[in-house]
């Protein structure tokens, strides 16, 4: 088994304005665990909280698993809360924590690799509060964690810009913290360790004073993790040093093949060189490496998932279009009324004269008017069906027809408008 090899360094300083350093860090290279905690709270609370956090994690984190790390952080939360409750001087103390740990990947529940001795490793960053984890890879710096702070929330919801956040008066208020509430929610950020990766854990005393460009250029320039950490602390003091500053740097010296697996898993990244190395590797061992097989499996699964989703989405769209058309036709076929004959009786139908596709008109209301009574001029129109846009209008047409029958024939209804209009139209011409 190859295994990932890490090398670490750190620096911390009280800064230029504070008298006490409430930041704590711990490097445990034997267990591949690295922690930064930034304590807060009056009197001595802040430094006690951050000290309790690193101490509890050191003791409680025994198995290299994500659950163990989360549980160790929860244990630290309980411990700080209990000590704070017991001592009035420490009441309300709290701390951030950002931790980096190397661990085997969780076994794939439906994978056939359970009996394989070699499990790929990955790095896991755990975060509570506004201390940060960064990755410096291929010359560029990426913030991996999300701050749990008031200003970070405001930036995420678009209320203020990242530039405004940097000078915001509430930029020190955290929304998640260890030691204050009964439970703690931990963010976990898994990363594949790749050779030459540099991981940076730091308190806000660094990034509030030193820009990302500057941090990147130090990590590019100084290969030794201790030297780079000290230089970053120096720059933070130069920038103002308004808070305690703590920097932990963890370098991936040997990634134990993870780089190849990662590039196979992401076929969009130029796979040329790594793939040919994998091919060489397969040729030597006579079978693809475990990582290669796992990566291929992962890629296949995600492709399958994508296809399934695409097919499902397409079906849903097709059904929606068909459903919409059916509903439209149904509406068009039944939304109107017409007056016509059923046998020898004049009735009001719901629907279109002659029907529409599968929709036959239905009798809505008989009128009791016999074909024989209908004035001759109106006969052809009623035979064809006189369309009306509503039942009320159809009834008005029928009432109009009855009036004309009562008046003794006449020209019959000539319009489908209201009775008074029809009367005005027809009566005078008839009378004179
Ligand atoms: Mn701080």
């Amino acid at each position: 088994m190859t295994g990932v090899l890490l090398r670490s360094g750190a620096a911390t300083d009280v800064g230029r304005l504070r008298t006490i350093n409430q930041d704590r860090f711990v490097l445990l290279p034997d267990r591949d665990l690295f922690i930064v905690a930034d304590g807060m709270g009056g009197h001595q609370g802040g430094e006690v909280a951050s000290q309790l956090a690193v101490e509890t994690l050191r003791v409680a984190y025994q198995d290299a698993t994500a659950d163990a790390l989360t549980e160790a952080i929860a244990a630290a939360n309980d411990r700080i809360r209990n000590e704070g409750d017991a001592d009035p001087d420490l009441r309300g103390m709290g701390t951030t924590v950002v931790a980096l740990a190397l661990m085997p990947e969780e076994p794939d529940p439906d994978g056939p690799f359970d009996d394989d001795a070699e499990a790929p490793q990955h790095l896991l960053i755990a975060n509570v509060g506004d201390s940060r984890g960064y990755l410096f890879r291929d010359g560029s710096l990426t913030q991996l964690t999300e701050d749990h702070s008031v200003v970070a929330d405001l930036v995420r919801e678009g209320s203020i810009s990242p530039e405004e956040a940097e000078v915001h008066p509430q930029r020190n208020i955290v929304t998640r913290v260890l030691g204050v509430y009964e439970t703690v929610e931990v963010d976990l950020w898994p990363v594949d360790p790749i050779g030459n990766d540099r991981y940076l854990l730091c308190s806000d005393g660094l990034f509030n004073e030193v820009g990302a460009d500057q941090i990147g250029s130090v990590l590019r320039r100084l290969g030794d993790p201790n030297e780079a950490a000290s230089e970053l602390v120096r720059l933070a003091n130069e920038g103002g040093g308004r808070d305690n500053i703590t920097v932990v740097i963890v370098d991936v010296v040997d990634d134990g093949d993870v780089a190849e697996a990662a590039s196979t898993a992401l076929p969009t990244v130029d796979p040329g060189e790594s793939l040919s190395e994998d091919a060489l590797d397969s040729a030597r061992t006579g079978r693809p490496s475990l990582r290669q097989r796992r990566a291929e499996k992962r890629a296949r699964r995600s492709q399958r998932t994508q296809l399934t989703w695409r097919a499902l989405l397409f079906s849903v769209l097709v059904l929606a279009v068909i459903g919409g058309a059916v509903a439209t036709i149904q509406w068009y076929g039944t939304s109107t009324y017409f007056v016509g004959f059923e046998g020898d009786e004049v009735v009001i139908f719901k629907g279109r004269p002659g029907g529409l596709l599968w929709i036959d008109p239905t009798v809505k209301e008989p009128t009791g008017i016999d074909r024989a009574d209908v004035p001759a001029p109106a006969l052809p129109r009623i035979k064809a069906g006189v369309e009306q846009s509503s039942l009320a209008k159809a009834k008005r047409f029928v009432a109009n027809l009855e009036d004309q029958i009562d008046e003794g024939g006449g020209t019959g209804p000539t319009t489908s408008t209201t009775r008074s209009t029809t009367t005005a139209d027809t009566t005078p011409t008839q009378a004179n």
Side-chain angles (χ1 to χ4, degrees), residues 18 23 38-39 130 203-205 243-244:
R18 308 267 170 109
D23 286 357
D38 177 350
D130 66 351
S203 59
D204 59 346
D243 193 2
N244 308 143

Side-chain angles (χ1 to χ4, degrees), residues 133-200:
Y134 288 90
L135 166 61
F136 184 74
R137 176 180 288 174
D138 297 333
S140 66
L141 188 71
T142 310
Q143 184 182 332
L144 296 174
T145 55
E146 279 176 8
D147 297 349
H148 306 133
S149 68
V150 170
V151 290
D153 285 348
L154 291 174
V155 171
R156 274 192 287 271
E157 70 188 35
S159 301
I160 62 171
S161 69
E163 293 71 32
E164 288 169 324
E166 283 171 17
V167 294
H168 198 280
Q170 290 185 310
R171 68 178 182 280
N172 292 322
I173 301 178
V174 292
T175 50
R176 280 195 226 168
V177 65
L178 282 196
V180 175
Y181 306 106
E182 198 177 329
T183 57
V184 60
E185 196 186 341
V186 182
D187 280 351
L188 296 176
W189 309 90
V191 207
D192 279 329
I194 297 193
N196 301 319
D197 276 355
R198 310 194 84 176
Y199 291 85
L200 168 69

Side-chain angles (χ1 to χ4, degrees), residues 260 272-288 292:
E260 282 79 19
E273 202 180 331
S274 304
L275 276 184
S276 60
E277 274 177 28
D278 264 339
L280 275 176
D281 200 41
S282 308
R284 257 184 250 121
T285 58
R287 61 174 196 137
Q292 204 177 344

Side-chain angles (χ1 to χ4, degrees), residues 41-347:
H43 301 286
Q44 312 219 303
E47 61 198 292
V48 173
S50 55
Q51 183 65 32
L52 284 172
V54 296
E55 275 305 315
T56 310
L57 250 71
R58 183 210 293 267
V59 173
Y61 178 73
Q62 291 296 335
D63 303 332
T65 65
D67 283 349
L69 188 56
T70 311
E71 280 159 22
I73 291 172
N77 184 59
D78 290 347
R79 176 112 188 260
I80 297 164
R81 246 169 74 89
N82 292 339
E83 304 251 337
D85 285 348
D87 184 342
D89 277 349
L90 301 178
R91 186 149 297 149
M93 68 178 172
T95 183
T96 73
V97 68
V98 58
L100 176 75
L102 179 68
M103 56 187 68
E105 272 185 44
E106 305 283 323
D108 191 345
D110 46 291
F113 306 118
D114 297 357
D115 53 341
D116 244 307
E118 184 192 10
Q121 291 171 295
H122 71 162
L123 287 167
L124 195 64
I125 294 184
N127 175 45
V128 177
D130 66 351
S131 298
R132 287 182 184 174
Y134 288 90
L135 166 61
F136 184 74
R137 176 180 288 174
D138 297 333
S140 66
L141 188 71
T142 310
Q143 184 182 332
L144 296 174
T145 55
E146 279 176 8
D147 297 349
H148 306 133
S149 68
V150 170
V151 290
D153 285 348
L154 291 174
V155 171
R156 274 192 287 271
E157 70 188 35
S159 301
I160 62 171
S161 69
E163 293 71 32
E164 288 169 324
E166 283 171 17
V167 294
H168 198 280
Q170 290 185 310
R171 68 178 182 280
N172 292 322
I173 301 178
V174 292
T175 50
R176 280 195 226 168
V177 65
L178 282 196
V180 175
Y181 306 106
E182 198 177 329
T183 57
V184 60
E185 196 186 341
V186 182
D187 280 351
L188 296 176
W189 309 90
V191 207
D192 279 329
I194 297 193
N196 301 319
D197 276 355
R198 310 194 84 176
Y199 291 85
L200 168 69
L201 308 180
C202 62
S203 59
D204 59 346
L206 174 69
F207 57 80
N208 282 336
E209 307 289 10
V210 186
D213 288 352
Q214 247 181 318
I215 295 173
S217 93
V218 170
L219 293 174
R220 206 168 297 125
R221 201 171 71 240
L222 299 174
D224 180 88
N226 279 311
E227 273 179 36
S230 300
E231 174 63 6
L232 288 172
V233 167
R234 192 190 67 76
L235 287 173
N237 275 323
E238 202 177 82
R242 284 162 286 191
D243 193 2
N244 308 143
I245 310 139
T246 299
V247 176
V248 163
I249 292 172
V250 180
D251 292 338
V252 179
V253 178
D254 180 353
D255 63 25
D257 291 348
V258 170
E260 282 79 19
S263 61
T264 315
L266 297 167
T268 49
V269 177
D270 176 23
E273 202 180 331
S274 304
L275 276 184
S276 60
E277 274 177 28
D278 264 339
L280 275 176
D281 200 41
S282 308
R284 257 184 250 121
T285 58
R287 61 174 196 137
S289 72
L290 169 68
R291 285 192 182 85
Q292 204 177 344
R293 279 180 287 140
R294 285 177 64 107
E296 279 166 8
K297 192 164 180 248
R298 230 176 281 151
R300 271 201 309 276
R301 195 185 304 140
S302 88
Q303 201 176 17
R304 219 164 36 226
T305 312
Q306 271 179 20
L307 282 177
T308 312
W309 270 105
R310 227 176 273 171
L312 188 65
L313 184 65
F314 182 74
S315 310
V316 166
L317 284 175
V318 167
L319 285 176
V321 168
I322 292 173
V326 167
T328 305
I329 293 169
Q330 189 79 35
W331 171 83
Y332 182 75
T334 59
S335 64
T336 62
Y337 298 83
F338 68 95
V339 179
F341 286 114
E342 191 194 35
D344 279 335
E345 192 190 354
V346 175
V347 299

Side-chain angles (χ1 to χ4, degrees), residues 15-28:
R16 290 167 62 182
L17 292 188
R18 308 267 170 109
T19 52
I20 298 170
N21 191 347
Q22 300 185 319
D23 286 357
R24 290 290 184 275
F25 73 87
V26 68
L27 309 180
L28 298 169

